[in-house]
Amino acid sequence: QVQLAESGGGSVQPGGSTRLSCKIDGNTYSYWTMAWFRQAPGKEREGVANIDTYGTARYEDAVAGRFTISQDYAESALYLQMNSLKPEDTGMYYCALATFAGMLDTQALATYSYKFWGQGTQVTVSS
């Protein structure tokens, strides 16, 4: 059973940076896709970025050029480097794992594509 655990959230000032981590345990799949999602109060969960075993990464338009997703196979970890943060980046951030790779564009940042989820870590961007 795959278990995901996020860390690294907190309070950040606008324009600042932070890095989220997701520790991955129990992943025995040969191909997978990992993603970061976020959910602001009163809003639906939305995909932020994903990366698969081929190294292909995709980003939601609002974060492209500011966020970078990466994975460390040796450490079994997923990261999200977040720069130039804005108040609208505030939310609970979740990492997720899908048990296949090579997603279509319509699948890449859709919640239904992902089988395993972490509990989330809060990021608050405020002055």
Side-chain angles (χ1 to χ4, degrees):
Q1 182 75 359
V2 175
Q3 293 186 321
L4 306 174
E6 303 92 339
S7 61
S11 295
V12 186
Q13 290 192 339
S17 299
T18 194
R19 189 176 81 155
L20 305 183
S21 301
C22 175
K23 180 65 177 172
I24 309 158
D25 287 319
N27 180 16
T28 59
Y29 295 96
S30 299
Y31 300 95
W32 67 87
T33 300
M34 298 237 31
W36 287 99
F37 286 77
R38 66 184 178 189
Q39 189 167 18
K43 295 188 176 181
E44 293 187 354
R45 193 171 298 188
E46 63 175 0
V48 173
N50 81 344
I51 188 167
D52 65 17
T53 44
Y54 302 114
T56 301
R58 290 183 175 93
Y59 296 90
E60 191 253 338
D61 289 345
V63 307
R66 299 189 297 122
F67 292 9
T68 302
I69 189 171
S70 62
Q71 53 188 351
D72 186 326
Y73 295 101
E75 295 294 327
S76 294
L78 178 75
Y79 303 102
L80 185 68
Q81 178 66 41
M82 307 164 65
N83 299 329
S84 302
L85 283 161
K86 303 176 181 180
E88 51 263 43
D89 294 319
T90 294
M92 187 70 77
Y93 282 72
Y94 301 88
C95 67
L97 184 146
T99 60
F100 65 101
M103 286 185 178
L104 302 174
D105 287 345
T106 52
Q107 297 172 304
L109 296 177
T111 56
Y112 64 77
S113 299
Y114 296 85
K115 182 176 181 179
F116 300 101
W117 294 82
Q119 294 299 308
T121 185
Q122 177 70 32
V123 174
T124 302
V125 184
S126 174
S127 55

